[in-house]
Amino acid sequence: MDEFDLIRRYFSTLTPPRADVALGIGDDAALLRPPRGHEVVVTTDTLIAGRHFSEDSDPQAVGWKALAVNLSDLAAMGAEPRWFTLALTVRMADPDWLAGFAAGLGALARETGIALVGGDTTQGALSITITAMGTVPAGKAVRRSGAQVGDAVCVTGTLGDAALALRLGQGEARGEAQSAELERLRTRLHRPVPRVAAGAALRSVVHAAIDLSDGLAGDLRHILDASDVGAELHAHRLPASPAFKALSDPEERLKLQVSGGDDYELCLCLSPRAIAKLRKRLDVPLTEVGRIVKGKSLKLLDVRGKVLALDPYGYRHFT
Ligand code: ADP
Ligand code: MG
C-alpha cells in the first residue's frame, strides 16, 4: 500500500462534506470558505508515541484524543470547529492500526461536525499532528487576558479523573463496582470529550477562558499572568466525579484535582451575576471554584479559609 492508497483508503472520505469546503483532500492544498465577518481560529497539537501515548495504545483512542485536544483548544477560544488537517507519521502502513486510528478520529469528527480537509503522510517514528480550524464572529474570540478582579472562576465537568486513571495505571481493580468506576476514569483519560458546545455558548458571556490540559493550577496561572490578576481557589469546591471520590486516596485528591493534567475541561472567568445565565446554555455542569483578586498570586484555600500549599505550576513540560 503506497501513500496514496493509504490516504484514499482511510482518510479521503472519513468525514462528511461541508458546504464551507470549496476543495478538500486531493489537490496541493485545500480551499476553505470562512463566513463573512468571522475570524479564523487556528490551533495545532502533536502527539508523539512514547511520550503522549504508548506505541501499543488502542489506536481508536489515539485517533480520538489527537482530535479531542485540538477541539478543546478551539472551545476555549469560543470557536465553532470547521476544518482540520492531519500530518501522520507511521513506521509502516499497518492496516489494523490505521483502521482503528481512522475509526476513533472519524467518530469524534462526525460527532462534532469538523471536516478533514488535507494533511501529510510520512514514514518515521509514530507521531500525529492535527491542525484544527474554527471561526468566531470578528472580535468575539475569548482570550486568556480578559479576567477582571471580582470575576468568578468556574470549571466545567469534574477534575482529576484522568490524572487518577493514570495514577492507578493498568493494575486490575478489585471487585466489579470498582472496575466499572475505574473504566469510567480510563475513558476520561483516553477519550476526553472536548467541550465544543460549551465553547460556542460561553462566547460574549465570559471574560477569559482556557482549556485544562496541564492541571487547573498551571493553566489558571496562564490566565492570571495574561490578565495581570491573582486568584483564590476553594479546595472543597473542586468538582469530583463519583468514580473519583470512590477510588482516590483522600491524601492525594487535592494534588490530582489541582495539578493533574488531561482533564480537557474549560476554566472560565466571568461576572458572578452571569453564572446562572451561562449555566442554562451549557450541556455540562458548571461549578464556581474561586474568585479573581488583586495582585498576582494564586492561593488555594481550605474550607475555613486557611491557605494550603500548592505547586503553582501543575505539570510542566521540559522539566
Ligand atoms: P503534496 O505532495 O502536494 O503535499 P500529498 O501527496 O502529500 O500532496 O497529499 C495528497 C493529498 O492528500 C493532499 O490533498 C493532502 O492534503 C492529502 N493528504 C495527505 N496525507 C493526508 C492525511 N494523512 N490525511 C488527510 N489528507 C491527507
Ligand atoms: Mg505533502
Side-chain angles (χ1 to χ4, degrees):
M1 174 164 45
D2 72 13
E3 178 195 341
F4 302 105
D5 295 331
L6 186 158
I7 296 164
R8 213 172 304 124
R9 189 146 151 204
Y10 299 103
F11 300 116
S12 290
T13 56
L14 186 64
T15 58
R18 282 183 64 109
D20 56 12
V21 179
L23 185 62
I25 294 172
D27 211 307
D28 292 314
L31 296 173
L32 309 174
R33 295 189 183 119
R36 192 185 298 276
H38 285 234
E39 288 168 338
V40 177
V41 182
V42 184
T43 183
T44 293
D45 264 299
T46 296
L47 297 186
I48 298 170
R51 177 163 194 93
H52 301 101
F53 65 96
S54 78
E55 204 94 29
D56 58 10
S57 299
D58 171 8
Q60 286 207 32
V62 175
W64 176 284
K65 192 162 180 175
L67 182 57
V69 299
N70 281 281
L71 287 167
S72 181
D73 282 322
L74 289 184
M77 298 298 289
E80 180 196 327
R82 288 178 186 269
W83 317 290
F84 72 104
T85 62
L86 166 68
L88 179 64
T89 306
V90 287
R91 288 213 181 279
M92 47 168 193
D94 171 354
D96 287 341
W97 192 90
L98 286 164
F101 175 80
L105 181 71
L108 182 58
R110 285 187 295 272
E111 223 168 83
T112 54
I114 195 168
L116 178 59
V117 296
D120 199 20
T121 306
T122 50
Q123 195 174 28
L126 179 58
S127 92
I128 300 128
T129 297
I130 285 180
T131 298
M133 288 154 277
T135 54
V136 288
K140 298 291 187 207
V142 181
R143 304 177 185 207
R144 295 177 179 183
S145 55
Q148 297 168 17
V149 172
D151 275 356
V153 179
C154 294
V155 295
T156 59
T158 60
L159 303 178
D161 292 341
L164 180 57
L166 208 57
R167 174 80 184 75
L168 296 175
Q170 298 306 309
E172 285 308 307
R174 293 140 301 170
E176 250 171 59
Q178 265 208 348
S179 29
E181 278 156 345
L182 185 57
E183 221 27 66
R184 249 169 253 143
L185 296 176
R186 284 182 180 153
T187 302
R188 293 270 290 159
L189 174 64
H190 298 301
R191 284 183 166 251
V193 176
R195 301 305 182 191
V196 172
L202 59 83
R203 206 168 54 209
S204 75
V205 178
V206 310
H207 297 147
I210 191 166
D211 76 313
L212 297 176
S213 54
D214 293 340
L216 175 62
D219 288 327
L220 177 57
R221 184 76 253 169
H222 295 310
I223 287 188
L224 303 184
D225 290 343
S227 303
D228 200 24
V229 291
E232 289 178 349
L233 290 176
H234 297 282
H236 61 285
R237 293 196 193 152
L238 301 178
S241 69
F244 182 89
K245 286 179 189 158
L247 297 187
S248 57
D249 173 349
E251 301 265 296
E252 277 191 342
R253 270 181 202 164
L254 202 51
K255 183 158 182 260
L256 292 169
Q257 290 203 284
V258 174
S259 307
D262 274 340
D263 289 313
Y264 296 104
E265 295 293 349
L266 299 176
C267 173
L268 316 170
C269 301
L270 71 165
S271 160
R273 290 188 305 277
I275 296 176
K277 173 180 159 192
L278 180 58
R279 243 186 217 127
K280 276 190 219 133
R281 292 198 199 171
L282 296 184
D283 59 349
V284 61
L286 186 70
T287 307
E288 184 178 351
V289 296
R291 281 292 162 102
I292 297 295
V293 298
K294 278 192 205 144
K296 293 184 184 304
S297 63
L298 172 55
K299 288 194 185 120
L300 184 63
L301 308 176
D302 72 6
V303 73
R304 278 184 236 97
K306 212 176 103 226
V307 177
L308 295 161
L310 163 72
D311 170 8
Y313 299 110
Y315 170 78
R316 279 196 301 173
H317 300 284
F318 300 114
T319 51

